[in-house]
Amino acid sequence: MNKINSTPEKDGFRMPGEFEKHDGCWMIWPQRPDNWRLGGKPAQKVFARVAEAINKFEPVTVCVNYDQYENARDMISNDVRVIEVSNDDAWMRDCGATFVVNGSEVRGVDWAFNAWGGLVDGLYFPWHKDDFVAQKMCELIGVNRYRLDDFVLEGGSIHVDGEGTVVVTEECLLSAGRNPHLTKEEIEETLKDYLNVEKIIWLKRGIFNDETNGHVDNIFNFVRPGVCVLAWTDDKNDPQYEISKECYEILSNTPDAKGRKLEVHKLYTPKPVLITAKESEGVDAVNGSIPRAEGDRLAASYANYYTANGGIIFPLFDDPNDEKARTLFEKLYPDREIVGIEGAREILLGGGNIHCITQQQPSVQ
């Protein structure tokens, strides 16, 4: 398929919200032993659970390296498509294509990917296989793409409402490992050009101790235009309290692109999740990768859930706030089935939560 020398904004394409109708979901299979304990075996069981849960609502494609194809195909239901796509790690939302639509056509935005910070503070090296994933996705489904060779962005660092607003964090988008050659204003212009948005809402920081430099998708999500959730704690002794309080004030006092005051719902985080000695010992120590040390706090949150066509897929941490999260989702999404995923701690140990990307429909209602 063709690489387009233009921008979505010029061509009349926009990025829809995740809550809008889409054709399917894409994931990547975990395996690297310096990031996933025991070579990813425990996490693979949970990834399979996630894929099958989402597949009840929309088609799922799981991308795997060649040496994991048979294993993944054996572990995942035959109703889920498994294909061989070379990759460095399992974070599809971050390295995959951002899909944009104009009412009759889908195109992909292929951002540069450098493993969340490149040689400054990236999480692993090399990352060149991941940087090709977006192009391969576009070619597999037969859509044209826009490629930015000199602008680093991950899908987890942006959330749009589909009506002209995008929410990001300064901690991430202004980090030294992303686009230090650009000013904040130049970054805003790129977001406007490639997402076709009018308003950028800048939060200061993301979830405490998030190794992605504070991705917005772990602290915030749009339920629908004008309505959102924010990761929250009432514990004033928790470092997360001041971060969430600051975000709440920004969101409550910043109108969106349509001039609406945002309705912000507090989504309580689980109690702090710390890496155990057993979990730490199961991860290979490799130069260039972030170690998993005993006692380290993981960036646990329910905000990084997946909005499927007819369902909400969210992580369970065996915590009392699991049920609080479910209750809030039932209130906010009365027309969707709420599905909790047991064992989400295994995904969190790898550095994230439920990590999928939507394949948008050409015509989004």
Side-chain angles (χ1 to χ4, degrees):
M1 303 306 295
N2 297 325
K3 184 169 70 171
I4 303 170
N5 294 317
S6 181
T7 69
E9 190 277 332
K10 288 180 181 178
D11 298 338
F13 285 74
R14 70 178 179 93
M15 180 184 177
E18 188 176 283
F19 47 81
E20 298 184 51
K21 191 78 170 180
H22 31 88
D23 277 342
C25 169
W26 290 68
M27 301 174 64
I28 299 177
W29 190 247
Q31 71 174 102
R32 60 180 300 148
D34 58 337
N35 194 40
W36 302 95
R37 75 183 188 99
L38 306 179
K41 295 305 179 186
Q44 288 170 3
K45 295 178 182 178
V46 185
F47 268 65
R49 211 172 291 150
V50 171
E52 291 172 3
I54 296 173
N55 199 62
K56 293 179 181 178
F57 303 103
E58 61 195 55
V60 175
T61 298
V62 179
C63 300
V64 303
N65 282 312
Y66 77 96
D67 58 332
Q68 280 290 312
Y69 178 81
E70 289 184 286
N71 178 48
R73 183 67 283 170
D74 179 67
M75 292 182 66
I76 302 174
S77 164
N78 288 333
D79 293 337
V80 177
R81 182 170 71 159
V82 176
I83 62 174
E84 185 181 318
V85 175
S86 299
N87 62 81
D88 294 298
D89 206 354
W91 307 117
M92 176 59 89
R93 184 178 293 179
D94 288 346
C95 67
T98 296
F99 291 107
V100 293
V101 298
N102 73 347
S104 60
E105 182 185 350
V106 176
R107 292 178 180 176
V109 179
D110 180 3
W111 316 95
F113 179 79
N114 70 353
W116 309 275
L119 299 180
V120 176
D121 58 355
L123 302 185
Y124 53 73
F125 178 87
W127 53 77
H128 64 282
K129 293 178 184 176
D130 280 348
D131 196 31
F132 276 111
V133 167
Q135 178 180 344
K136 292 177 179 179
M137 290 173 67
C138 292
E139 292 178 352
L140 283 165
I141 63 175
V143 300
N144 296 322
R145 69 186 173 98
Y146 304 90
R147 167 65 183 180
L148 295 86
D149 289 317
D150 57 354
F151 188 82
V152 174
L153 190 87
E154 305 93 38
S157 69
I158 54 174
H159 259 317
V160 301
D161 69 352
E163 294 188 356
T165 305
V166 62
V167 180
V168 300
T169 71
E170 293 183 1
E171 180 184 2
C172 180
L173 267 65
L174 303 185
S175 67
R178 300 306 201 287
N179 300 292
H181 58 294
L182 298 177
T183 65
K184 183 177 182 180
E185 291 71 27
E186 288 171 329
I187 291 172
E188 285 195 342
E189 286 306 309
T190 302
L191 295 176
K192 290 178 180 179
D193 287 343
Y194 286 87
L195 302 176
N196 198 355
V197 295
E198 305 162 28
K199 180 71 172 281
I200 293 92
I201 298 178
W202 290 88
L203 304 180
K204 298 295 184 181
R205 295 169 287 174
I207 285 289
F208 175 70
N209 212 33
D210 186 345
E211 59 190 25
T212 65
N213 303 108
H215 268 190
V216 74
D217 71 347
N218 213 19
I219 195 169
F220 168 92
N221 206 342
F222 275 114
V223 175
R224 56 184 177 272
V227 181
C228 61
V229 295
L230 175 70
W232 185 265
T233 179
D234 289 330
D235 183 359
K236 295 184 178 181
N237 295 317
D238 189 327
Q240 185 59 46
Y241 177 79
E242 287 300 327
I243 297 172
S244 294
K245 181 173 179 287
E246 181 179 60
C247 290
Y248 188 86
E249 291 172 354
I250 293 170
L251 292 168
S252 299
N253 293 287
T254 308
D256 65 14
K258 300 297 185 184
R260 291 173 294 221
K261 177 180 174 63
L262 290 174
E263 179 183 315
V264 186
H265 293 268
K266 295 175 179 178
L267 181 58
Y268 283 83
T269 60
K271 63 181 178 295
V273 178
L274 308 181
I275 298 177
T276 67
K278 181 179 180 181
E279 290 167 342
S280 174
E281 292 166 359
V283 180
D284 290 358
V286 175
N287 188 32
S289 295
I290 298 295
R292 299 282 184 258
E294 179 185 0
D296 282 354
R297 177 169 171 171
L298 297 168
S301 166
Y302 301 102
N304 202 341
Y305 59 91
Y306 182 75
T307 308
N309 285 335
I312 298 297
I313 315 301
F314 79 105
L316 298 175
F317 297 107
D318 193 24
D319 184 276
N321 283 343
D322 288 355
E323 284 308 307
K324 282 188 179 180
R326 182 186 295 277
T327 299
L328 181 60
F329 290 141
E330 288 173 343
K331 173 187 174 183
L332 295 176
Y333 297 96
D335 298 328
R336 300 183 198 251
E337 182 180 344
I338 311 304
V339 181
I341 300 296
E342 299 282 354
R345 181 186 181 99
E346 290 296 341
I347 302 180
L348 189 61
L349 285 165
N353 283 321
I354 294 172
H355 230 263
C356 316
I357 195 166
T358 60
Q359 178 185 324
Q360 300 296 153
Q361 287 190 334
S363 180
V364 180
Q365 303 301 316

